[in-house]
Amino acid sequence: MKATDNTDQQNFAALDPDRVIDAVESLGFVSDLRVFPLNSYENRVYQFGIEDAEPLVVKFYRPQRWSNAQISEEHRFTQQLYDADISVIPPWQNDDGQSLFEHEGYRFALYPRRGGHAPALDDMENLFQLGRLFGRLHLVGETEDFQHRPTLTPQTFGEHSSHYLLENDFIPDSLRQAYESLARDLLALIEQRFSDCQARNIRCHGDGHVGNILWRDGDTQLVDFDDSRMAPAIQDLWMFLSGDTDARQKALMELVEGYEEFRSFDSRELMLVEALRGLRIMHHAAWLAQRWSDPAFPRAFPWFNTERYWGEHILMLREQLALVQEPALKLSV
């Protein structure tokens, strides 16, 4: 395996509590010296205690991942959603309307702390409410395009991922030929699905799954727009579809019923559900590989980058190839 750039890990390794406190206090807040790391791998996120006030959440962005313009677009999108009375958590802004800050080379943003738990997806009412939430979100999302953030395509999520793994020698020699052949066949089929669908790309959350939903006292908060990008609307819905075909079909009906209270759902996008699942599988493996020089990743994912892992990954891709070939879910049964 080739050596990977360790710039990110060096920057994050130097991000100690003192630097966190200095960064936030540079904006005029006074720390009560309680700084707790929160669960996050891509960035570094802390709960930050404030004297005589509710704690804040401070998010330090991974270096070299997003440009300032891309981060600012994410912040602007969440603020637009919040202004439209949609349950999201936009970043704190200073008196000048600035939400992205820098201290000693670290870029960061502040958020109010919110609590909650993931919704149960076996509850049809929860799925209906999630459909309503994303229907409203996409009404705002389609009003303009991102100018700086990327678009989810078979190339950006699939081809780039497989090329990275192969060019950096992550795939063991004993499995390389099988992986190359399978990735080529799967991507060709996925590209055909995208071509057949001709879906419109809109601003999406980009990572719609239960881990990014905070459910509390009947209120729903959608968090973490870090992966926000241009994508077909179904990108924000398909991860709520799990289980066998019957279970996924029932979940789809509830999601779409809620969704269409606010925005028409394009049923052609259903042919992308398994294609998008395949792209996510490929992208996740490459994401882990790209971050493998960060010490947090080997600790959190000790099973990654073993021959057994890659064997199971290839099996998963083979199963996904078969699923992409199956008939798509339908809005009526």
Side-chain angles (χ1 to χ4, degrees):
M1 183 183 71
K2 294 180 182 178
T4 55
D5 184 6
N6 64 357
T7 304
D8 293 359
Q9 75 172 66
Q10 290 174 343
N11 279 305
F12 277 153
L15 190 58
D16 56 23
D18 287 339
R19 279 190 168 86
V20 174
I21 291 171
D22 289 345
V24 180
E25 288 194 336
S26 72
L27 301 179
F29 295 95
V30 178
S31 171
D32 65 6
L33 304 183
R34 292 181 296 174
V35 178
F36 303 108
L38 301 178
N39 187 32
S40 178
Y41 300 113
E42 186 59 31
N43 304 294
R44 291 296 182 268
V45 183
Y46 301 87
Q47 179 175 299
F48 187 91
I50 302 292
E51 283 194 0
D52 303 320
E54 286 292 315
L56 294 172
V57 172
V58 53
K59 172 182 177 180
F60 290 87
Y61 289 90
R62 179 175 290 276
Q64 303 176 27
R65 182 171 186 241
W66 297 124
S67 68
N68 286 357
Q70 289 171 324
I71 296 172
S72 295
E73 275 197 324
E74 173 207 336
H75 291 185
R76 181 172 179 271
F77 184 33
T78 55
Q79 187 62 51
Q80 287 179 326
L81 295 170
Y82 182 81
D83 291 343
D85 201 28
I86 297 171
S87 296
V88 301
I89 305 175
W92 175 83
Q93 298 181 20
N94 64 13
D95 292 340
D96 296 325
Q98 183 181 358
S99 58
L100 177 62
F101 308 98
E102 185 171 331
H103 184 77
E104 294 186 356
Y106 294 98
R107 295 175 301 166
F108 67 98
L110 302 176
Y111 293 83
R113 184 186 64 172
R114 295 289 185 270
H117 59 86
L121 295 185
D122 57 356
D123 186 326
M124 294 297 105
E125 177 61 23
N126 289 349
L127 289 165
F128 178 80
Q129 294 300 330
L130 287 172
R132 296 179 83 250
L133 172 63
F134 282 101
R136 297 182 65 207
L137 186 151
H138 290 164
L139 272 182
V140 176
E142 67 183 351
T143 58
E144 61 184 76
D145 291 349
F146 283 135
Q147 300 302 313
H148 302 284
R149 297 185 75 83
T151 299
L152 194 163
T153 68
Q155 290 72 38
T156 59
F157 257 48
E159 289 183 16
H160 294 177
S161 297
S162 64
H163 289 167
Y164 183 88
L165 294 174
L166 291 166
E167 290 171 3
N168 289 278
D169 299 331
F170 276 90
I171 310 297
D173 290 342
S174 60
L175 299 172
R176 187 180 181 93
Q177 184 175 355
Y179 175 84
E180 284 184 290
S181 175
L182 184 56
R184 183 173 58 249
D185 292 346
L186 178 57
L187 284 171
L189 185 56
I190 289 174
E191 288 171 2
Q192 186 62 54
R193 291 289 181 268
F194 270 75
S195 177
D196 292 343
C197 179
Q198 292 295 306
R200 176 189 175 190
N201 291 316
I202 64 173
R203 292 182 298 171
C204 287
H205 177 278
D207 196 23
H209 59 78
V210 293
N212 284 330
I213 304 291
L214 295 180
W215 207 276
R216 185 174 184 179
D217 299 330
D219 187 31
T220 307
Q221 295 275 351
L222 181 60
V223 300
D224 194 2
F225 279 73
D226 198 63
D227 285 303
S228 184
R229 65 193 65 228
M230 300 293 293
I234 192 66
Q235 169 63 13
D236 281 346
L237 301 176
W238 72 262
M239 277 182 270
F240 299 117
L241 307 175
S242 60
D244 59 22
T245 301
D246 183 58
R248 286 183 285 125
Q249 186 69 61
K250 289 179 180 177
L252 172 67
M253 300 299 288
E254 290 296 327
L255 280 170
V256 171
E257 184 178 354
Y259 189 93
E260 290 200 318
E261 285 197 359
F262 297 96
R263 183 177 185 267
S264 177
F265 178 78
D266 186 351
S267 62
R268 294 176 302 172
E269 294 188 17
L270 292 175
M271 72 174 69
L272 299 181
V273 169
E274 295 304 330
L276 288 165
R277 197 187 307 274
L279 291 177
R280 184 175 177 84
I281 292 170
M282 299 182 76
H283 183 262
H284 185 257
W287 174 71
L288 289 171
Q290 290 161 355
R291 302 291 182 257
W292 203 235
S293 60
D294 183 335
F297 278 72
R299 288 196 300 267
F301 308 98
W303 36 261
F304 176 73
N305 206 31
T306 62
E307 186 144 350
R308 177 178 177 179
Y309 168 83
W310 291 114
E312 292 175 348
H313 179 70
I314 289 171
L315 177 60
M316 191 180 300
L317 292 180
R318 185 171 290 116
E319 293 171 345
Q320 199 59 35
L321 177 64
L323 289 172
V324 176
Q325 293 173 314
E326 290 184 357
L329 298 173
K330 299 182 181 298
L331 290 184
S332 59
V333 293

